[in-house]
Amino acid sequence: MRDYYHIKINLPGGIASPGYLKDILSAAWNANVRKVRFGSRQQLLMTVHYEDMRFLESDFKNLGIFYEVNTDRRPNIVSSYCGEEVFRTGQWLNASEYHSVLDSFDFQPGLKVNISDSNQSFTPFFTGNLNFISSPEPHFWYLYVRLKQTNTVFKWDGLIYTNEIGRLSKALEECMLEEGLNEENALKSAVGERIRYVFQPSQQELELPSFSLPYYEGFNRYESRTWLGLYRRDEEFTIEFLLDVCALCLKTRVGEICSTPWKSLVIKGIEDQYREAWSNILGKHNINVRHAANELAWQTEDHNGDGAELKNELIRYFSKNDTRTFGLCFGIQTRPKSEVFGSVLIRKRPLLRIGQLPLFSVYDLYYTENFNPNSRAQVLFERGLFKIHLPAQLERLCRRFNNQRSRDTLKTMLSEPDEAKAAVKTAKTVHQCPDCLTIYDPEYGDVLGDIPPGTAFEDLPASYCCPTCDSGKAVFLAVEFTRPSNLEPA
């Protein structure tokens, strides 16, 4: 018999009313639960001792609360509502539109469903099986389908009307889960035969924003009010604190509490007259709301202490070495079939086993195409790293990202003004190390590596390494070497 049970309660769209959350937390308190967590799909998680389960189950039954025990057959609907208004303002997407989408679901989805504003980068776009993304046309959405247990994503024909999202999702789920359809054309044909729904042709392709994770902790102003972001280093919130939060929300007419995919909370609509009351609650429970930005950009698996421990070790290394991580987010995966969101992915892999028990593990380091966390294409950076070597290689990957961003910025600057183009002359192609920006120029060779002048890059031995940072020849990038025309010899 299990000593403890993992309980999951879905909060559709990451939205919970203070009264509803208060009822859940009160039932958990009666079952001797003292801390809860919020998952990467914006769900509420708790761990309950087996002797207390009967009390929790009885209370949840009386309250009509749907929950799952040690499973996730009904994944939560993820939405970008938690960042609506506070991180961006859309042309047509607002609170009522999100609620219309969520109200269109009259069933608990068995597929992962994501509802995303195309203009934000706070929540992921493609981590679901059904990914609805707002289009430029008011009240219409793109749909990108990711087949279960695959990285295959395809675009659905036409833009889907807001009120049809629930019906279409249900039809897709029936075809994919009940009929086992796992091919694009067969799926589209089967859904077309099953239902008729409102859509319109897509006039343009989806354009996603570049990734930039906003700082989401502490008190922040928007419009004439304040929002509060709450993050906990150990990803745990005490029930006592959350009950006080719910009580103050009810007292001050704050109607919603939002969970985020970063396992944090956002409370919107705090009026100026109640700002001190919120500060007092944070003081009462000793809640710090000023963590470093590079600590907030991490996602670990739910119910996983190993991932959280590794995250904290890497953050300490970054802080000690003052590593720049702006523009990146990190995911740690310790279980084979779990999913995490990140532009840099750290995967733990068993190397030796005794039966099913891992005896020794190593780490593989990946980054997504163009370091965009919404890309499904992943590039291997280093494989088979010991844990002791992981921080330094991760820092090296951060430098590669920063160097790539610098090159892209410089390229844009040189290509924009016509007068600048006229003043620059392309001289030749050279090869550059992506980690330290050292250039190999065949005109000069490599004195430190005993490579004579005139040796083409292609003729370098396969074992050639960067003389500055020892990166291998295979990672060097071909770049155009340019110089101002006024530096040309007369």
Side-chain angles (χ1 to χ4, degrees), residues 1 5 18 23 30 93 140 150-151 169 182 192 206 213 221 230 276 297 319 349 375 426 448 456:
M1 178 180 290
Y5 294 96
D23 288 342
N30 293 335
L93 188 56
F140 283 88
T150 75
N151 259 339
S169 297
N182 204 34
L206 172 65
L213 184 67
R221 293 288 293 177
L230 296 169
E276 185 177 354
S319 298
R349 174 167 52 88
S375 170
T426 301
L448 296 176

Side-chain angles (χ1 to χ4, degrees), residues 13-14 38-43 78-79 82-83 87 122-124 216 229-230 258-266 299:
F38 294 89
S40 57
R41 289 195 65 82
Q42 300 172 284
Q43 70 274 49
V78 167
S79 86
C82 54
F87 295 134
F122 186 55
T123 62
Y216 58 83
L230 296 169
C258 298
S259 60
T260 82
W262 305 99
K263 305 187 178 183
S264 60
L265 294 179
V266 169
Q299 193 175 87

Side-chain angles (χ1 to χ4, degrees), residues 9-78:
I9 300 171
N10 286 337
L11 306 176
I15 306 169
S17 71
Y20 177 70
L21 187 57
K22 179 176 178 290
D23 288 342
I24 294 174
L25 296 171
S26 298
W29 180 270
N30 293 335
N32 292 314
V33 179
R34 295 297 177 259
K35 294 182 179 181
V36 297
R37 296 173 298 278
F38 294 89
S40 57
R41 289 195 65 82
Q42 300 172 284
Q43 70 274 49
L44 178 65
L45 307 172
M46 64 184 74
T47 302
V48 186
H49 194 271
Y50 76 94
E51 291 182 349
D52 299 312
M53 271 298 294
R54 64 183 186 275
F55 303 114
L56 188 68
E57 289 178 322
S58 175
D59 285 344
F60 280 176
K61 182 178 180 181
N62 291 334
L63 293 168
I65 294 171
F66 173 83
Y67 65 97
E68 291 185 276
V69 182
N70 296 325
T71 188
D72 191 22
R73 294 192 180 92
R74 299 293 176 182
N76 193 39
I77 301 174
V78 167

Side-chain angles (χ1 to χ4, degrees), residues 211 327-328 343 367-373 375 377 379 401 404 408:
F211 176 79
L328 291 171
S343 47
Y367 62 94
T368 52
E369 186 177 25
N370 296 322
F371 290 95
N372 185 338
S375 170
V379 181
F401 166 73
Q404 176 178 307
D408 292 344

Side-chain angles (χ1 to χ4, degrees), residues 10 63 67-68 72 88 136 142 149 170 282 351 414 423 431 466:
N10 286 337
L63 293 168
Y67 65 97
E68 291 185 276
D72 191 22
R88 47 139 264 108
Y142 296 101
Q149 304 298 324
K170 189 172 185 178
L282 298 181
L351 195 61
L414 291 176
H431 288 77
C466 172

